[in-house]
Amino acid sequence: MTSAAVVILNWNGTEHLRRFLPSVVRTTPAWAEVVVADNGSTDGSVEMLGREFPEVRVVRLDRNYGFAGGYNRAIAQVEADYCVLLNSDVETTEGWLEPLVGRLDADPTVAAVAPKLLSYMQRDMFEYAGASGGFIDYLGYPFCRGRILKHLEQDRGQYDDRRRVFWASGAAMCCRRDVFMRLGGFASEFFAHMEEIDLCWRMQIAGYSVEVEPRSRVYHLGGGTLATDSPNKIFYNHRNNLAMLYRCATSGQRAVVAVLRPLLDAVAALSYLAEGNARGAWAVCRAYADFIRWHGRLSSERRHIRGTAVDRALPATVYRGSVVVRYMAGKREFDKMMQS
C-alpha cells in the first residue's frame, strides 16, 4: 500500500501551528503520517506540540537551516513513498490528500503535484504562492494560473482542470520521495525562495512532469515569514532566480537571459529607490554580488544537471514570451496573457 507523510516545517511558529494544524490532523487520512520538522525554534513550539498534538511526530533539527535545508534534513528522516510539503499556515479541507496521492499512483512519470491554493483571508481568491499551478517565462519570471505578478484573480472555477505545469508551490506540494532524494532535494544554499521552482525544473530535466490537481483544495494565509517588500525576500528571490537560471536553462535561453535580465533588474532596483526603498535596491545589488561569487560552484552544478539530463530541451511549460511585457500591456489574467 502507498505510504505518505505530510511534513510541515516550523520555525518559531507556535501560533500558526495552533491555528492551522488541527485542520491537517482532522483531514489527513489515517494511512498518512503528519510530521512537524522543527528548524531550531526558540518559542516553545516543540513543547507545545508535545502537550497539544501528541499524535503528531516531531523531527527536531539542531538549528534553522532555512526552508531548503530544513526540508532536505526532514525528508531524509521520513520513510514514505510520497511526501507532502505543507506550510504551517495552510488550512486543509476534507479529501485534500487523496487526489494528490491518486495522481502519483496513476502515473509514475509525474514527480510532483500541487493542489489549488486559495487565500485563507479571501476565500474566493487565488493565493499568491501558487494559485492553480505555476509557470515561468523565458526570462525566468514566475507566475501562476490565477496570479500574474502581483495581480490575483477570483476563483470562478476557470482553472479547475488538471494539467501539466512548470512548478508546484512549496507551500503545498506532494512529491515522490525517491525522486526528491535522488535529485539532491532542494538547493540548500538557496536557504529560502525559488527552491521549489528549481527542483521542479530539475525534475523535468530528469524526464518527469509536474502537475496541478485542482480537485485538491487548500487555503494559505501567506506572508507568514517575510513581507512582500522585505529586503531579505527581494534578495533571496533575485539571487536564487539567477542561480536557478544559470544551473538549469538551455544554452540559448541562458544567453538571452544574460543580456536582458541585468537591464530589467537594474530597472527594478531603480524603482525601489524611487519608492524610497533603498534597502530593496541594495538587496538587488547584493543578489548579483552573491551570484557572481557563486559562479564557480554554479558552473559545476550546471555541468552535472545538464550533463545527466534525460530531456535537454526547454520544458514545454516555459512561456516563450515575457510576462512583464504582457502585464504592462494589460494582460493581467492567465488566460488573456497566454492568448497570442
Side-chain angles (χ1 to χ4, degrees), residues 104-327:
L104 295 179
D105 278 344
D107 190 343
T109 69
V110 179
V113 59
K116 180 163 71 171
L117 207 61
L118 297 167
S119 169
Y120 179 78
M121 300 302 293
Q122 295 178 277
R123 299 174 81 84
D124 63 340
M125 300 293 292
F126 286 105
E127 209 282 319
Y128 180 91
S132 193
F135 293 81
I136 65 169
D137 72 2
Y138 199 76
L139 297 177
Y141 290 99
F143 61 101
C144 309
R145 294 201 303 172
R147 190 268 290 177
I148 306 297
L149 300 182
K150 293 184 179 181
H151 178 77
L152 296 166
E153 294 182 46
Q154 184 179 26
D155 176 25
R156 303 184 302 276
Q158 68 270 43
Y159 306 125
D160 275 356
D161 56 312
R162 174 179 58 81
R163 61 161 293 173
R164 177 181 272 192
V165 295
F166 188 82
W167 56 273
S169 172
M173 172 176 68
C174 185
C175 67
R176 298 184 186 277
R177 181 183 180 275
D178 62 335
V179 175
F180 183 95
M181 297 299 294
R182 179 157 45 84
L183 295 181
F186 292 131
S188 58
E189 64 270 26
F190 281 21
F191 192 78
H193 299 292
M194 294 286 169
E195 67 287 313
E196 77 268 53
I197 305 179
D198 174 86
L199 174 63
C200 289
W201 199 339
R202 287 185 284 122
M203 286 174 171
Q204 291 167 89
I205 290 171
Y208 294 94
S209 63
V210 179
E211 292 188 351
V212 62
E213 175 48 272
R215 288 185 302 154
S216 174
R217 184 182 73 254
V218 301
Y219 294 89
H220 185 212
L221 178 62
T225 305
L226 293 174
T228 304
D229 60 351
S230 159
N232 280 339
K233 187 165 189 174
I234 293 168
F235 166 69
Y236 286 130
N237 276 333
H238 277 80
R239 183 195 67 181
N240 296 347
N241 187 269
L242 292 167
M244 173 185 71
L245 287 162
Y246 193 93
R247 282 155 49 97
C248 299
T250 63
S251 297
Q253 183 188 16
R254 193 171 62 139
V256 174
V257 167
V259 174
L260 295 182
R261 273 298 296 273
L263 297 174
L264 291 171
D265 289 339
V267 170
L270 290 173
S271 71
Y272 288 127
L273 280 176
E275 295 167 359
N277 186 0
R279 294 178 66 200
W282 177 239
V284 177
C285 298
R286 286 173 51 219
Y288 270 85
D290 257 19
F291 173 64
I292 293 168
R293 183 169 58 84
W294 283 3
H295 185 269
R297 185 176 73 234
L298 291 174
S299 295
S300 175
E301 292 170 355
R302 175 181 174 79
R303 285 194 294 271
H304 173 74
I305 292 168
R306 300 299 305 182
T308 59
V310 171
D311 188 350
R312 295 175 184 271
L314 189 70
T317 45
V318 173
Y319 176 55
R320 266 47 176 190
S322 166
V323 66
V324 175
V325 171
R326 298 287 279 176
Y327 183 87

Side-chain angles (χ1 to χ4, degrees), residues 319 326 331 334-340:
Y319 176 55
R326 298 287 279 176
K331 308 296 185 181
F334 180 85
D335 281 344
K336 291 180 180 178
M337 195 201 71
M338 300 299 280
Q339 293 170 359
S340 58

